[in-house]
Amino acid sequence: MVSETNRKRAAAVFQKALREYGAKCCPVYREEKDVNGVPTGKVDKIGCVYGMRYERGQAANVLADLPGVAVRVDAPRISCAITGCAKQLRAGDLICYDGTWYSVVLANVQMDILADVVLKEGAEPIGIQV
């Protein structure tokens, strides 16, 4: 088991590495949806994630997204530090990274230090100004 001191030290090293590689603070929004998954029009900002977008060079894996959209695991991703709302990310949340909107497909928290977030390009929600 890793001590709390070592975990905090590792988190600080990861955040410093992100900062040196040009990480950005990205706003995260959550659309309210009805029971059928249709947006009701209400969009709330739930926070920001601090991370860097990248693309993984692996084509062997496929991730199935509901309702039936297949996304390759080498889809765009954001590697985020566990700060802000990174632990609360869930599928369907919207992230604006450098002016481009993405929808979260999968958010995988690793070692309680970072979150690897699989994305797909999405549309800007109506009524949002970044």
Side-chain angles (χ1 to χ4, degrees):
M1 185 167 177
V2 177
S3 71
E4 186 64 22
T5 303
N6 287 342
R7 191 194 68 75
K8 286 182 181 179
R9 186 176 300 138
V13 168
F14 180 66
Q15 289 177 18
K16 181 180 178 188
L18 282 174
R19 190 170 42 255
E20 289 177 3
Y21 280 99
K24 300 179 185 304
C25 186
C26 308
V28 179
Y29 295 88
R30 185 166 290 154
E31 281 185 304
E32 194 174 284
K33 298 179 180 179
D34 65 15
V35 294
N36 295 321
V38 177
T40 61
K42 185 175 181 201
V43 180
D44 293 320
K45 182 175 180 180
I46 63 168
C48 293
V49 294
Y50 182 69
M52 184 173 171
R53 186 188 162 298
Y54 72 99
E55 290 189 28
R56 218 167 119 176
Q58 181 179 3
N61 298 328
V62 172
L63 180 68
D65 180 27
L66 295 177
V69 177
V71 177
R72 289 173 39 168
V73 178
D74 63 346
R77 295 171 176 246
I78 292 182
S79 185
C80 303
I82 295 294
T83 58
C85 67
K87 278 189 178 180
Q88 288 81 35
L89 282 177
R90 65 180 188 210
D93 286 347
L94 303 168
I95 296 177
C96 183
Y97 183 89
D98 208 19
T100 304
W101 286 89
Y102 297 95
S103 178
V104 173
V105 175
L106 176 71
N108 184 15
V109 175
Q110 300 173 4
M111 299 178 291
D112 209 29
I113 295 173
L114 66 104
D116 188 39
V117 184
V118 180
L119 306 168
K120 67 178 176 184
E121 286 200 31
E124 179 178 354
I126 297 170
I128 298 295
Q129 298 290 328
V130 178

